[in-house]
Amino acid sequence: MSLLAKEEGWRTIIVTGNHAAAWAARVAKVQVVAAYPITPQTTIVEKIAEFVEKGELKAQYIRVESEHSAMTACIGASAVGARAFTATSAHGLALMHECLWWAAASRLPIVMAVVNRAMGPGWNIWTDYGDTMAQRDLGWLQVYCADNQEVFNSILQAYKLCEDHRVLLPCMVDLEAFILSHTYMPVKVPPQDEVDDWLPPYEPAWKLDPEDPITHGALVFPAHYMEFRYLMQEAMERARELLPKVGEDFSKRFGLKGLDFLETYRCEDAEMIILTMGTMGVEARITVDRLREKGLKVGLARLIVFRPFPVEQLRRLAEGVRMLCVIDRHISYGAEGALAMETKRALYNMEERPLVASFIAGIGGRDVTYKDMEVIALKAHEWMERGRVPVEGVWYGVRGVGLP
């Protein structure tokens, strides 16, 4: 497939991660966009406003008074059968919290771009995963991107997956503040007619209609409430089954990378695997290459989909491995990073499971380079050779605090 022939409808654009998200909303032909600004997300909804103003996207663009209202507008739009989109970040996501519950429990396939930003106080507009990880138990799918093309691809695939009547759950597509949101990269955009064929208009399983009234979201007594939550869990399990199929279909159709739970690098003979997420999962490739040059059998796995969590994929990855070195850009205070905790849960019932060393790095946008991850990995390798992990949730890069 050639992306150079403009007559074929393909285009390559040089855009920020935020504008990649806006372009995805455009070619997905979203019908309702709820917009409220917050740094560093604002340029997503600004770009969509430009598309709407120029007539390049025929959508209802609703300028709401808060992020809470933004999600409420998406809930209403999706409930009447429209394809809905919004975007937010950090405190905006926190303000949506009540409505995030409602969207998931109402089984509405809303897709939202979230620009990961640290929570205040102290006020910080740079990245970590504290905002989205705080919402990980609500019934939303969560995808964590590593480049701008992946942002674009993931939003399209999220609609395909979430609108499937076997799923009907919302999805957050997450990208890191400034590292992706304001960094320019080339993004390949397929022809609109091909996207339309692959992602047809949303056909809701149910909708609110004055001509055919139903009761939805009303009071549920204990005799039935638990069953509703069980159905959400079943839907998440079906998403687990369908996600790689959607990714494979997307890849075959467009020649672009499809969704999958994990991306691996040089793991075939690895004794130790670095496990992380987002852009650190790309930077760490250099770390792996440098450690291989030193004779250490180290590989890399980048977790892409956090919900549903890829338990079986991680177990297969861990077979025959002596150590997983988990690096989290997140801290659950009083415990450790969410990726480390979920990884340990996933591996618990393995007959022979590897050691897990967990590290916290990059909080509040602190830079984490391949050299930093090399220091972390060497410490984990040292523990692997000793056969024990002396401490969990080790903070890396804190001034005046070294590695144990």
PDB file of all heavy atoms in Angstrom, residues 201-236:
ATOM      1  N   PRO A 201     -21.816   4.049  10.486  1.00  0.00           N
ATOM      2  CA  PRO A 201     -22.494   4.817  11.530  1.00  0.00           C
ATOM      3  C   PRO A 201     -22.915   3.934  12.710  1.00  0.00           C
ATOM      4  O   PRO A 201     -23.221   2.751  12.544  1.00  0.00           O
ATOM      5  CB  PRO A 201     -23.720   5.391  10.804  1.00  0.00           C
ATOM      6  CG  PRO A 201     -23.292   5.470   9.373  1.00  0.00           C
ATOM      7  CD  PRO A 201     -22.417   4.276   9.154  1.00  0.00           C
ATOM      8  N   TYR A 202     -22.886   4.527  13.890  1.00  0.00           N
ATOM      9  CA  TYR A 202     -23.235   3.816  15.115  1.00  0.00           C
ATOM     10  C   TYR A 202     -24.688   3.352  15.079  1.00  0.00           C
ATOM     11  O   TYR A 202     -25.595   4.127  14.807  1.00  0.00           O
ATOM     12  CB  TYR A 202     -22.992   4.745  16.305  1.00  0.00           C
ATOM     13  CG  TYR A 202     -23.479   4.226  17.638  1.00  0.00           C
ATOM     14  CD1 TYR A 202     -23.302   2.893  18.010  1.00  0.00           C
ATOM     15  CD2 TYR A 202     -24.102   5.075  18.531  1.00  0.00           C
ATOM     16  CE1 TYR A 202     -23.737   2.430  19.239  1.00  0.00           C
ATOM     17  CE2 TYR A 202     -24.539   4.629  19.776  1.00  0.00           C
ATOM     18  CZ  TYR A 202     -24.368   3.301  20.116  1.00  0.00           C
ATOM     19  OH  TYR A 202     -24.812   2.850  21.330  1.00  0.00           O
ATOM     20  N   GLU A 203     -24.881   2.069  15.355  1.00  0.00           N
ATOM     21  CA  GLU A 203     -26.214   1.484  15.463  1.00  0.00           C
ATOM     22  C   GLU A 203     -26.431   1.066  16.913  1.00  0.00           C
ATOM     23  O   GLU A 203     -25.957   0.012  17.334  1.00  0.00           O
ATOM     24  CB  GLU A 203     -26.360   0.271  14.536  1.00  0.00           C
ATOM     25  CG  GLU A 203     -26.381   0.606  13.056  1.00  0.00           C
ATOM     26  CD  GLU A 203     -27.662   1.325  12.641  1.00  0.00           C
ATOM     27  OE1 GLU A 203     -28.657   1.248  13.399  1.00  0.00           O
ATOM     28  OE2 GLU A 203     -27.651   1.973  11.581  1.00  0.00           O
ATOM     29  N   PRO A 204     -27.122   1.874  17.707  1.00  0.00           N
ATOM     30  CA  PRO A 204     -27.269   1.554  19.132  1.00  0.00           C
ATOM     31  C   PRO A 204     -28.132   0.327  19.366  1.00  0.00           C
ATOM     32  O   PRO A 204     -29.051   0.040  18.582  1.00  0.00           O
ATOM     33  CB  PRO A 204     -27.929   2.810  19.710  1.00  0.00           C
ATOM     34  CG  PRO A 204     -28.635   3.437  18.551  1.00  0.00           C
ATOM     35  CD  PRO A 204     -27.804   3.131  17.341  1.00  0.00           C
ATOM     36  N   ALA A 205     -27.818  -0.394  20.433  1.00  0.00           N
ATOM     37  CA  ALA A 205     -28.645  -1.544  20.812  1.00  0.00           C
ATOM     38  C   ALA A 205     -29.968  -1.083  21.400  1.00  0.00           C
ATOM     39  O   ALA A 205     -30.974  -1.794  21.359  1.00  0.00           O
ATOM     40  CB  ALA A 205     -27.895  -2.420  21.822  1.00  0.00           C
ATOM     41  N   TRP A 206     -29.963   0.100  21.974  1.00  0.00           N
ATOM     42  CA  TRP A 206     -31.158   0.746  22.509  1.00  0.00           C
ATOM     43  C   TRP A 206     -30.911   2.247  22.464  1.00  0.00           C
ATOM     44  O   TRP A 206     -29.776   2.698  22.361  1.00  0.00           O
ATOM     45  CB  TRP A 206     -31.441   0.307  23.957  1.00  0.00           C
ATOM     46  CG  TRP A 206     -30.344   0.712  24.898  1.00  0.00           C
ATOM     47  CD1 TRP A 206     -29.203   0.008  25.186  1.00  0.00           C
ATOM     48  CD2 TRP A 206     -30.231   1.950  25.602  1.00  0.00           C
ATOM     49  NE1 TRP A 206     -28.401   0.721  26.030  1.00  0.00           N
ATOM     50  CE2 TRP A 206     -29.008   1.921  26.315  1.00  0.00           C
ATOM     51  CE3 TRP A 206     -31.049   3.078  25.724  1.00  0.00           C
ATOM     52  CZ2 TRP A 206     -28.589   2.965  27.119  1.00  0.00           C
ATOM     53  CZ3 TRP A 206     -30.621   4.124  26.527  1.00  0.00           C
ATOM     54  CH2 TRP A 206     -29.408   4.058  27.226  1.00  0.00           C
ATOM     55  N   LYS A 207     -31.973   3.035  22.529  1.00  0.00           N
ATOM     56  CA  LYS A 207     -31.809   4.485  22.610  1.00  0.00           C
ATOM     57  C   LYS A 207     -33.059   5.114  23.213  1.00  0.00           C
ATOM     58  O   LYS A 207     -34.149   4.527  23.180  1.00  0.00           O
ATOM     59  CB  LYS A 207     -31.514   5.094  21.239  1.00  0.00           C
ATOM     60  CG  LYS A 207     -32.621   4.933  20.215  1.00  0.00           C
ATOM     61  CD  LYS A 207     -32.193   5.564  18.887  1.00  0.00           C
ATOM     62  CE  LYS A 207     -33.282   5.409  17.826  1.00  0.00           C
ATOM     63  NZ  LYS A 207     -32.882   6.043  16.541  1.00  0.00           N
ATOM     64  N   LEU A 208     -32.860   6.276  23.776  1.00  0.00           N
ATOM     65  CA  LEU A 208     -33.982   7.034  24.301  1.00  0.00           C
ATOM     66  C   LEU A 208     -34.722   7.689  23.142  1.00  0.00           C
ATOM     67  O   LEU A 208     -34.122   8.393  22.325  1.00  0.00           O
ATOM     68  CB  LEU A 208     -33.492   8.099  25.283  1.00  0.00           C
ATOM     69  CG  LEU A 208     -32.775   7.593  26.531  1.00  0.00           C
ATOM     70  CD1 LEU A 208     -32.317   8.764  27.398  1.00  0.00           C
ATOM     71  CD2 LEU A 208     -33.670   6.659  27.335  1.00  0.00           C
ATOM     72  N   ASP A 209     -36.021   7.448  23.053  1.00  0.00           N
ATOM     73  CA  ASP A 209     -36.827   7.921  21.926  1.00  0.00           C
ATOM     74  C   ASP A 209     -38.227   8.251  22.431  1.00  0.00           C
ATOM     75  O   ASP A 209     -38.931   7.356  22.933  1.00  0.00           O
ATOM     76  CB  ASP A 209     -36.889   6.838  20.849  1.00  0.00           C
ATOM     77  CG  ASP A 209     -37.637   7.282  19.603  1.00  0.00           C
ATOM     78  OD1 ASP A 209     -38.231   8.377  19.608  1.00  0.00           O
ATOM     79  OD2 ASP A 209     -37.638   6.521  18.618  1.00  0.00           O
ATOM     80  N   PRO A 210     -38.670   9.512  22.329  1.00  0.00           N
ATOM     81  CA  PRO A 210     -40.014   9.863  22.797  1.00  0.00           C
ATOM     82  C   PRO A 210     -41.122   9.062  22.133  1.00  0.00           C
ATOM     83  O   PRO A 210     -42.187   8.868  22.718  1.00  0.00           O
ATOM     84  CB  PRO A 210     -40.127  11.352  22.441  1.00  0.00           C
ATOM     85  CG  PRO A 210     -38.728  11.840  22.328  1.00  0.00           C
ATOM     86  CD  PRO A 210     -37.929  10.673  21.817  1.00  0.00           C
ATOM     87  N   GLU A 211     -40.845   8.589  20.904  1.00  0.00           N
ATOM     88  CA  GLU A 211     -41.860   7.803  20.198  1.00  0.00           C
ATOM     89  C   GLU A 211     -41.901   6.351  20.663  1.00  0.00           C
ATOM     90  O   GLU A 211     -42.846   5.624  20.382  1.00  0.00           O
ATOM     91  CB  GLU A 211     -41.592   7.842  18.685  1.00  0.00           C
ATOM     92  CG  GLU A 211     -41.580   9.236  18.085  1.00  0.00           C
ATOM     93  CD  GLU A 211     -42.901   9.954  18.307  1.00  0.00           C
ATOM     94  OE1 GLU A 211     -43.958   9.295  18.206  1.00  0.00           O
ATOM     95  OE2 GLU A 211     -42.869  11.170  18.591  1.00  0.00           O
ATOM     96  N   ASP A 212     -40.849   5.927  21.349  1.00  0.00           N
ATOM     97  CA  ASP A 212     -40.791   4.545  21.850  1.00  0.00           C
ATOM     98  C   ASP A 212     -40.145   4.580  23.234  1.00  0.00           C
ATOM     99  O   ASP A 212     -39.022   4.141  23.424  1.00  0.00           O
ATOM    100  CB  ASP A 212     -39.976   3.674  20.888  1.00  0.00           C
ATOM    101  CG  ASP A 212     -39.967   2.207  21.301  1.00  0.00           C
ATOM    102  OD1 ASP A 212     -40.856   1.796  22.070  1.00  0.00           O
ATOM    103  OD2 ASP A 212     -39.045   1.484  20.865  1.00  0.00           O
ATOM    104  N   PRO A 213     -40.856   5.111  24.217  1.00  0.00           N
ATOM    105  CA  PRO A 213     -40.254   5.375  25.532  1.00  0.00           C
ATOM    106  C   PRO A 213     -39.867   4.108  26.286  1.00  0.00           C
ATOM    107  O   PRO A 213     -40.537   3.082  26.199  1.00  0.00           O
ATOM    108  CB  PRO A 213     -41.351   6.148  26.267  1.00  0.00           C
ATOM    109  CG  PRO A 213     -42.622   5.743  25.592  1.00  0.00           C
ATOM    110  CD  PRO A 213     -42.278   5.500  24.154  1.00  0.00           C
ATOM    111  N   ILE A 214     -38.738   4.204  26.990  1.00  0.00           N
ATOM    112  CA  ILE A 214     -38.280   3.136  27.871  1.00  0.00           C
ATOM    113  C   ILE A 214     -37.792   3.774  29.172  1.00  0.00           C
ATOM    114  O   ILE A 214     -37.554   4.985  29.236  1.00  0.00           O
ATOM    115  CB  ILE A 214     -37.136   2.299  27.255  1.00  0.00           C
ATOM    116  CG1 ILE A 214     -35.915   3.202  26.975  1.00  0.00           C
ATOM    117  CG2 ILE A 214     -37.587   1.570  26.002  1.00  0.00           C
ATOM    118  CD1 ILE A 214     -34.680   2.433  26.551  1.00  0.00           C
ATOM    119  N   THR A 215     -37.662   2.960  30.206  1.00  0.00           N
ATOM    120  CA  THR A 215     -37.063   3.409  31.451  1.00  0.00           C
ATOM    121  C   THR A 215     -35.634   2.909  31.497  1.00  0.00           C
ATOM    122  O   THR A 215     -35.370   1.734  31.278  1.00  0.00           O
ATOM    123  CB  THR A 215     -37.847   2.864  32.663  1.00  0.00           C
ATOM    124  OG1 THR A 215     -39.179   3.362  32.607  1.00  0.00           O
ATOM    125  CG2 THR A 215     -37.198   3.306  33.963  1.00  0.00           C
ATOM    126  N   HIS A 216     -34.706   3.817  31.783  1.00  0.00           N
ATOM    127  CA  HIS A 216     -33.296   3.432  31.800  1.00  0.00           C
ATOM    128  C   HIS A 216     -32.578   4.192  32.904  1.00  0.00           C
ATOM    129  O   HIS A 216     -32.795   5.398  33.083  1.00  0.00           O
ATOM    130  CB  HIS A 216     -32.634   3.734  30.456  1.00  0.00           C
ATOM    131  CG  HIS A 216     -31.214   3.281  30.384  1.00  0.00           C
ATOM    132  ND1 HIS A 216     -30.867   1.959  30.205  1.00  0.00           N
ATOM    133  CD2 HIS A 216     -30.046   3.962  30.497  1.00  0.00           C
ATOM    134  CE1 HIS A 216     -29.543   1.853  30.196  1.00  0.00           C
ATOM    135  NE2 HIS A 216     -29.033   3.052  30.378  1.00  0.00           N
ATOM    136  N   GLY A 217     -31.738   3.502  33.651  1.00  0.00           N
ATOM    137  CA  GLY A 217     -30.951   4.155  34.686  1.00  0.00           C
ATOM    138  C   GLY A 217     -31.745   4.535  35.913  1.00  0.00           C
ATOM    139  O   GLY A 217     -31.344   5.402  36.679  1.00  0.00           O
ATOM    140  N   ALA A 218     -32.889   3.888  36.117  1.00  0.00           N
ATOM    141  CA  ALA A 218     -33.731   4.197  37.268  1.00  0.00           C
ATOM    142  C   ALA A 218     -33.244   3.445  38.515  1.00  0.00           C
ATOM    143  O   ALA A 218     -32.223   2.749  38.481  1.00  0.00           O
ATOM    144  CB  ALA A 218     -35.184   3.846  36.959  1.00  0.00           C
ATOM    145  N   LEU A 219     -33.984   3.585  39.591  1.00  0.00           N
ATOM    146  CA  LEU A 219     -33.637   2.925  40.842  1.00  0.00           C
ATOM    147  C   LEU A 219     -33.573   1.409  40.672  1.00  0.00           C
ATOM    148  O   LEU A 219     -34.481   0.810  40.087  1.00  0.00           O
ATOM    149  CB  LEU A 219     -34.687   3.273  41.911  1.00  0.00           C
ATOM    150  CG  LEU A 219     -34.479   2.648  43.290  1.00  0.00           C
ATOM    151  CD1 LEU A 219     -33.226   3.194  43.947  1.00  0.00           C
ATOM    152  CD2 LEU A 219     -35.702   2.907  44.169  1.00  0.00           C
ATOM    153  N   VAL A 220     -32.498   0.796  41.158  1.00  0.00           N
ATOM    154  CA  VAL A 220     -32.331  -0.658  41.104  1.00  0.00           C
ATOM    155  C   VAL A 220     -32.138  -1.165  42.529  1.00  0.00           C
ATOM    156  O   VAL A 220     -31.191  -0.766  43.212  1.00  0.00           O
ATOM    157  CB  VAL A 220     -31.134  -1.068  40.222  1.00  0.00           C
ATOM    158  CG1 VAL A 220     -30.989  -2.585  40.213  1.00  0.00           C
ATOM    159  CG2 VAL A 220     -31.303  -0.538  38.799  1.00  0.00           C
ATOM    160  N   PHE A 221     -33.013  -2.040  42.963  1.00  0.00           N
ATOM    161  CA  PHE A 221     -32.940  -2.579  44.321  1.00  0.00           C
ATOM    162  C   PHE A 221     -31.861  -3.665  44.404  1.00  0.00           C
ATOM    163  O   PHE A 221     -31.396  -4.179  43.383  1.00  0.00           O
ATOM    164  CB  PHE A 221     -34.308  -3.143  44.728  1.00  0.00           C
ATOM    165  CG  PHE A 221     -35.317  -2.071  45.019  1.00  0.00           C
ATOM    166  CD1 PHE A 221     -36.175  -1.606  44.024  1.00  0.00           C
ATOM    167  CD2 PHE A 221     -35.388  -1.508  46.284  1.00  0.00           C
ATOM    168  CE1 PHE A 221     -37.094  -0.615  44.296  1.00  0.00           C
ATOM    169  CE2 PHE A 221     -36.307  -0.518  46.562  1.00  0.00           C
ATOM    170  CZ  PHE A 221     -37.172  -0.060  45.570  1.00  0.00           C
ATOM    171  N   PRO A 222     -31.448  -4.026  45.616  1.00  0.00           N
ATOM    172  CA  PRO A 222     -30.403  -5.050  45.766  1.00  0.00           C
ATOM    173  C   PRO A 222     -30.711  -6.364  45.067  1.00  0.00           C
ATOM    174  O   PRO A 222     -29.778  -7.085  44.700  1.00  0.00           O
ATOM    175  CB  PRO A 222     -30.329  -5.231  47.291  1.00  0.00           C
ATOM    176  CG  PRO A 222     -30.754  -3.916  47.842  1.00  0.00           C
ATOM    177  CD  PRO A 222     -31.817  -3.413  46.907  1.00  0.00           C
ATOM    178  N   ALA A 223     -31.964  -6.682  44.866  1.00  0.00           N
ATOM    179  CA  ALA A 223     -32.327  -7.940  44.208  1.00  0.00           C
ATOM    180  C   ALA A 223     -31.811  -8.021  42.773  1.00  0.00           C
ATOM    181  O   ALA A 223     -31.689  -9.120  42.218  1.00  0.00           O
ATOM    182  CB  ALA A 223     -33.849  -8.115  44.222  1.00  0.00           C
ATOM    183  N   HIS A 224     -31.496  -6.856  42.155  1.00  0.00           N
ATOM    184  CA  HIS A 224     -31.053  -6.876  40.758  1.00  0.00           C
ATOM    185  C   HIS A 224     -29.771  -6.092  40.501  1.00  0.00           C
ATOM    186  O   HIS A 224     -29.153  -6.269  39.448  1.00  0.00           O
ATOM    187  CB  HIS A 224     -32.161  -6.304  39.851  1.00  0.00           C
ATOM    188  CG  HIS A 224     -33.400  -7.133  39.836  1.00  0.00           C
ATOM    189  ND1 HIS A 224     -34.525  -6.815  40.570  1.00  0.00           N
ATOM    190  CD2 HIS A 224     -33.689  -8.291  39.201  1.00  0.00           C
ATOM    191  CE1 HIS A 224     -35.453  -7.723  40.381  1.00  0.00           C
ATOM    192  NE2 HIS A 224     -34.972  -8.631  39.554  1.00  0.00           N
ATOM    193  N   TYR A 225     -29.354  -5.216  41.419  1.00  0.00           N
ATOM    194  CA  TYR A 225     -28.208  -4.357  41.170  1.00  0.00           C
ATOM    195  C   TYR A 225     -26.947  -5.161  40.860  1.00  0.00           C
ATOM    196  O   TYR A 225     -26.187  -4.834  39.936  1.00  0.00           O
ATOM    197  CB  TYR A 225     -27.962  -3.451  42.381  1.00  0.00           C
ATOM    198  CG  TYR A 225     -26.820  -2.469  42.198  1.00  0.00           C
ATOM    199  CD1 TYR A 225     -27.048  -1.201  41.670  1.00  0.00           C
ATOM    200  CD2 TYR A 225     -25.516  -2.806  42.544  1.00  0.00           C
ATOM    201  CE1 TYR A 225     -26.005  -0.289  41.498  1.00  0.00           C
ATOM    202  CE2 TYR A 225     -24.465  -1.909  42.382  1.00  0.00           C
ATOM    203  CZ  TYR A 225     -24.716  -0.661  41.853  1.00  0.00           C
ATOM    204  OH  TYR A 225     -23.678   0.228  41.679  1.00  0.00           O
ATOM    205  N   MET A 226     -26.722  -6.224  41.605  1.00  0.00           N
ATOM    206  CA  MET A 226     -25.503  -7.012  41.414  1.00  0.00           C
ATOM    207  C   MET A 226     -25.447  -7.616  40.014  1.00  0.00           C
ATOM    208  O   MET A 226     -24.366  -7.716  39.405  1.00  0.00           O
ATOM    209  CB  MET A 226     -25.433  -8.112  42.474  1.00  0.00           C
ATOM    210  CG  MET A 226     -24.096  -8.823  42.551  1.00  0.00           C
ATOM    211  SD  MET A 226     -24.029  -9.846  44.052  1.00  0.00           S
ATOM    212  CE  MET A 226     -22.449 -10.636  43.827  1.00  0.00           C
ATOM    213  N   GLU A 227     -26.584  -7.995  39.474  1.00  0.00           N
ATOM    214  CA  GLU A 227     -26.619  -8.569  38.127  1.00  0.00           C
ATOM    215  C   GLU A 227     -26.183  -7.551  37.077  1.00  0.00           C
ATOM    216  O   GLU A 227     -25.505  -7.893  36.094  1.00  0.00           O
ATOM    217  CB  GLU A 227     -28.019  -9.093  37.808  1.00  0.00           C
ATOM    218  CG  GLU A 227     -28.337 -10.461  38.428  1.00  0.00           C
ATOM    219  CD  GLU A 227     -28.483 -10.402  39.946  1.00  0.00           C
ATOM    220  OE1 GLU A 227     -28.789  -9.304  40.481  1.00  0.00           O
ATOM    221  OE2 GLU A 227     -28.285 -11.443  40.600  1.00  0.00           O
ATOM    222  N   PHE A 228     -26.575  -6.279  37.269  1.00  0.00           N
ATOM    223  CA  PHE A 228     -26.141  -5.243  36.330  1.00  0.00           C
ATOM    224  C   PHE A 228     -24.619  -5.115  36.331  1.00  0.00           C
ATOM    225  O   PHE A 228     -23.995  -4.959  35.281  1.00  0.00           O
ATOM    226  CB  PHE A 228     -26.784  -3.899  36.686  1.00  0.00           C
ATOM    227  CG  PHE A 228     -28.203  -3.753  36.194  1.00  0.00           C
ATOM    228  CD1 PHE A 228     -29.271  -3.902  37.049  1.00  0.00           C
ATOM    229  CD2 PHE A 228     -28.450  -3.467  34.857  1.00  0.00           C
ATOM    230  CE1 PHE A 228     -30.571  -3.764  36.597  1.00  0.00           C
ATOM    231  CE2 PHE A 228     -29.751  -3.322  34.386  1.00  0.00           C
ATOM    232  CZ  PHE A 228     -30.816  -3.472  35.265  1.00  0.00           C
ATOM    233  N   ARG A 229     -24.015  -5.174  37.496  1.00  0.00           N
ATOM    234  CA  ARG A 229     -22.563  -5.061  37.573  1.00  0.00           C
ATOM    235  C   ARG A 229     -21.874  -6.298  37.018  1.00  0.00           C
ATOM    236  O   ARG A 229     -20.801  -6.223  36.421  1.00  0.00           O
ATOM    237  CB  ARG A 229     -22.128  -4.799  39.023  1.00  0.00           C
ATOM    238  CG  ARG A 229     -22.617  -3.456  39.549  1.00  0.00           C
ATOM    239  CD  ARG A 229     -22.095  -2.324  38.660  1.00  0.00           C
ATOM    240  NE  ARG A 229     -22.574  -1.019  39.078  1.00  0.00           N
ATOM    241  CZ  ARG A 229     -23.545  -0.332  38.463  1.00  0.00           C
ATOM    242  NH1 ARG A 229     -24.157  -0.859  37.401  1.00  0.00           N
ATOM    243  NH2 ARG A 229     -23.897   0.858  38.887  1.00  0.00           N
ATOM    244  N   TYR A 230     -22.492  -7.448  37.191  1.00  0.00           N
ATOM    245  CA  TYR A 230     -21.966  -8.684  36.606  1.00  0.00           C
ATOM    246  C   TYR A 230     -21.970  -8.583  35.085  1.00  0.00           C
ATOM    247  O   TYR A 230     -21.014  -9.023  34.420  1.00  0.00           O
ATOM    248  CB  TYR A 230     -22.812  -9.868  37.075  1.00  0.00           C
ATOM    249  CG  TYR A 230     -22.405 -11.195  36.481  1.00  0.00           C
ATOM    250  CD1 TYR A 230     -21.309 -11.891  36.980  1.00  0.00           C
ATOM    251  CD2 TYR A 230     -23.109 -11.760  35.421  1.00  0.00           C
ATOM    252  CE1 TYR A 230     -20.925 -13.110  36.438  1.00  0.00           C
ATOM    253  CE2 TYR A 230     -22.738 -12.983  34.873  1.00  0.00           C
ATOM    254  CZ  TYR A 230     -21.647 -13.644  35.380  1.00  0.00           C
ATOM    255  OH  TYR A 230     -21.282 -14.850  34.840  1.00  0.00           O
ATOM    256  N   LEU A 231     -23.014  -7.997  34.516  1.00  0.00           N
ATOM    257  CA  LEU A 231     -23.085  -7.837  33.065  1.00  0.00           C
ATOM    258  C   LEU A 231     -21.983  -6.909  32.555  1.00  0.00           C
ATOM    259  O   LEU A 231     -21.453  -7.116  31.461  1.00  0.00           O
ATOM    260  CB  LEU A 231     -24.461  -7.299  32.670  1.00  0.00           C
ATOM    261  CG  LEU A 231     -25.640  -8.266  32.857  1.00  0.00           C
ATOM    262  CD1 LEU A 231     -26.955  -7.544  32.606  1.00  0.00           C
ATOM    263  CD2 LEU A 231     -25.501  -9.471  31.922  1.00  0.00           C
ATOM    264  N   MET A 232     -21.626  -5.898  33.340  1.00  0.00           N
ATOM    265  CA  MET A 232     -20.511  -5.032  32.951  1.00  0.00           C
ATOM    266  C   MET A 232     -19.197  -5.806  32.932  1.00  0.00           C
ATOM    267  O   MET A 232     -18.373  -5.634  32.027  1.00  0.00           O
ATOM    268  CB  MET A 232     -20.407  -3.849  33.907  1.00  0.00           C
ATOM    269  CG  MET A 232     -21.516  -2.828  33.769  1.00  0.00           C
ATOM    270  SD  MET A 232     -21.390  -1.506  34.995  1.00  0.00           S
ATOM    271  CE  MET A 232     -19.854  -0.714  34.505  1.00  0.00           C
ATOM    272  N   GLN A 233     -18.997  -6.655  33.923  1.00  0.00           N
ATOM    273  CA  GLN A 233     -17.789  -7.475  33.952  1.00  0.00           C
ATOM    274  C   GLN A 233     -17.749  -8.423  32.757  1.00  0.00           C
ATOM    275  O   GLN A 233     -16.691  -8.612  32.140  1.00  0.00           O
ATOM    276  CB  GLN A 233     -17.715  -8.256  35.268  1.00  0.00           C
ATOM    277  CG  GLN A 233     -16.522  -9.194  35.388  1.00  0.00           C
ATOM    278  CD  GLN A 233     -15.187  -8.478  35.477  1.00  0.00           C
ATOM    279  OE1 GLN A 233     -15.136  -7.255  35.640  1.00  0.00           O
ATOM    280  NE2 GLN A 233     -14.105  -9.228  35.369  1.00  0.00           N
ATOM    281  N   GLU A 234     -18.899  -9.004  32.435  1.00  0.00           N
ATOM    282  CA  GLU A 234     -18.961  -9.882  31.251  1.00  0.00           C
ATOM    283  C   GLU A 234     -18.620  -9.104  29.980  1.00  0.00           C
ATOM    284  O   GLU A 234     -17.925  -9.616  29.097  1.00  0.00           O
ATOM    285  CB  GLU A 234     -20.356 -10.494  31.129  1.00  0.00           C
ATOM    286  CG  GLU A 234     -20.613 -11.685  32.033  1.00  0.00           C
ATOM    287  CD  GLU A 234     -21.810 -12.485  31.578  1.00  0.00           C
ATOM    288  OE1 GLU A 234     -22.808 -11.864  31.112  1.00  0.00           O
ATOM    289  OE2 GLU A 234     -21.769 -13.719  31.678  1.00  0.00           O
ATOM    290  N   ALA A 235     -19.113  -7.870  29.883  1.00  0.00           N
ATOM    291  CA  ALA A 235     -18.817  -7.043  28.709  1.00  0.00           C
ATOM    292  C   ALA A 235     -17.322  -6.750  28.613  1.00  0.00           C
ATOM    293  O   ALA A 235     -16.741  -6.753  27.524  1.00  0.00           O
ATOM    294  CB  ALA A 235     -19.609  -5.742  28.781  1.00  0.00           C
ATOM    295  N   MET A 236     -16.678  -6.504  29.752  1.00  0.00           N
ATOM    296  CA  MET A 236     -15.237  -6.262  29.755  1.00  0.00           C
ATOM    297  C   MET A 236     -14.478  -7.519  29.314  1.00  0.00           C
ATOM    298  O   MET A 236     -13.472  -7.431  28.584  1.00  0.00           O
ATOM    299  CB  MET A 236     -14.776  -5.820  31.138  1.00  0.00           C
ATOM    300  CG  MET A 236     -13.380  -5.251  31.184  1.00  0.00           C
ATOM    301  SD  MET A 236     -13.130  -3.699  30.282  1.00  0.00           S
ATOM    302  CE  MET A 236     -13.815  -2.499  31.438  1.00  0.00           C
TER     303      MET A 236
END
